[in-house]
């Protein structure tokens, strides 16, 4: 529920009011929340250099948020709170997996994860009136892309991510979210979106933060 189910709805609702680039930037708060929850709720120990790396990455994220707020004043940033809640869910999920599921294979964790979500997901699906609109071409097209997201971005990515959690610390594993805004910006360039100096600086700071969190 914390790792896949709840955040999926929160991000979907948030992106009705804020850009994908903004939500991907806010998603970078996950490592900071992982550090906080891991320290106070799970008693995990982290090296000082990793903590410094997390806060440096957070500084880079703040630069990107500030730049986005300037260039997109029309967006409703109250919806960013939903993304913040999602990052807390992600952080809780990672710490739970590291503490209690390290002896299971990533495939087993993913299988159990999606099996448990099947019933509540179907209840929500059939309560939305989806069956009455699935004959529309645009709905079928949307379902196709949802399938891609479900299989690649969620299914396969979760297996890889769970393996990373078992191999490294929770903070380092979630630090990969610092790369999401950087990747999003490069996709934006392919879509002829221009990067500002502040965005390039923020991305560089984020990458440096990721480097520090990887130090053992």
């Amino acid at each position: 529920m914390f790792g896949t189910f709840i955040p999926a709805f929160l991000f979907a609702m948030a992106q009705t009011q804020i850009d994908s680039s903004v939500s991907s930037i806010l998603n970078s708060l996950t490592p900071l929340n992982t550090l906080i929850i891991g320290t106070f709720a799970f008693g995990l120990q982290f090296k000082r250099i990793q903590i410094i790396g997390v806060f440096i990455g957070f500084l880079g994220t703040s630069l990107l948020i500030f730049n986005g707020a300037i260039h997109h004043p029309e967006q409703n940033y109250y919806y960013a709170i939903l993304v913040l809640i999602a990052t807390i869910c992600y952080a809780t999920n990672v710490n739970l997996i590291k503490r209690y599921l390290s002896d299971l294979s990533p495939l087993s964790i993913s299988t159990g994860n999606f099996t448990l979500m099947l019933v509540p997901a179907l209840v929500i699906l059939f309560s939305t009136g989806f069956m009455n609109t699935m004959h529309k071409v645009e709905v079928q097209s949307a379902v196709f892309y949802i399938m891609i997201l479900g299989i690649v971005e969620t299914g396969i990515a979760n297996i890889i991510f769970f393996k990373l959690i078992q191999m490294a610390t929770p903070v380092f594993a979630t630090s990969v979210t610092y790369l999401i805004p950087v990747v999003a910006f490069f996709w934006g360039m392919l879509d002829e979106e221009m990067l500002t100096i502040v965005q390039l600086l923020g991305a560089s700071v984020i990458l440096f933060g990721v480097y520090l969190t990887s130090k053992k």
Side-chain angles (χ1 to χ4, degrees):
M1 300 299 287
F2 282 136
T4 307
F5 194 80
I6 298 175
F9 288 99
L10 294 176
F11 269 98
M13 288 185 288
Q15 289 188 205
T16 62
Q17 298 294 327
I18 60 178
D19 286 345
S20 297
S21 59
V22 175
S23 63
S24 68
I25 293 169
L26 293 173
N27 191 36
S28 298
L29 293 171
T30 301
L32 180 60
N33 290 327
T34 301
L35 177 66
I36 295 173
I37 294 175
T39 301
F40 291 100
F42 293 87
L44 298 180
Q45 300 295 320
F46 303 103
K47 292 188 175 181
R48 181 179 299 177
I49 190 66
Q50 293 175 312
I51 297 176
I52 294 174
V54 168
F55 281 96
I56 288 178
F58 178 69
L59 176 61
T61 300
S62 299
L63 287 174
L64 293 178
I65 293 175
F66 177 74
N67 182 78
I70 292 177
H71 290 85
H72 301 280
E74 75 285 354
Q75 295 183 20
N76 188 345
Y77 274 80
Y78 285 111
Y79 276 74
I81 297 176
L82 298 178
V83 179
L84 174 60
I85 297 174
T87 64
I88 294 174
C89 290
Y90 284 146
T92 303
N93 173 67
V94 171
N95 280 294
L96 286 172
I97 291 175
K98 185 66 176 181
R99 171 63 68 86
Y100 300 109
L101 303 178
S102 293
D103 57 333
L104 297 178
S105 69
L107 181 59
S108 297
I109 299 174
S110 297
T111 302
N113 184 18
F114 290 108
T115 300
L116 290 174
M117 290 193 305
L118 179 61
V119 173
L122 288 175
V123 171
I124 293 176
L125 176 64
F126 288 112
S127 66
T128 58
F130 170 75
M131 302 303 295
N132 297 326
T133 60
M134 62 180 300
H135 64 280
K136 297 181 179 180
V137 176
E138 58 269 25
V139 173
Q140 295 173 1
S141 176
V143 169
F144 171 73
Y145 289 105
I146 289 175
M147 289 176 59
I148 295 177
L149 288 175
I151 296 173
V152 180
E153 184 271 339
T154 304
I156 298 177
N158 270 4
I159 295 174
I160 299 174
F161 185 62
F162 292 153
K163 181 64 177 179
L164 178 61
I165 294 174
Q166 294 176 343
M167 294 172 58
T169 65
V171 172
F172 175 66
T174 55
S175 292
V176 299
T177 59
Y178 281 150
L179 298 174
I180 295 177
V182 180
V183 175
F185 287 143
F186 281 109
W187 277 108
M189 290 179 63
L190 294 177
D191 199 30
E192 299 182 354
E193 295 180 4
M194 297 301 295
L195 291 176
T196 66
I197 298 298
V198 176
Q199 288 174 327
L200 290 173
L201 176 61
S204 300
V205 173
I206 287 172
L207 289 173
F208 182 61
V210 172
Y211 168 74
L212 291 181
T213 58
S214 68
K215 304 290 284 185
K216 295 184 178 180

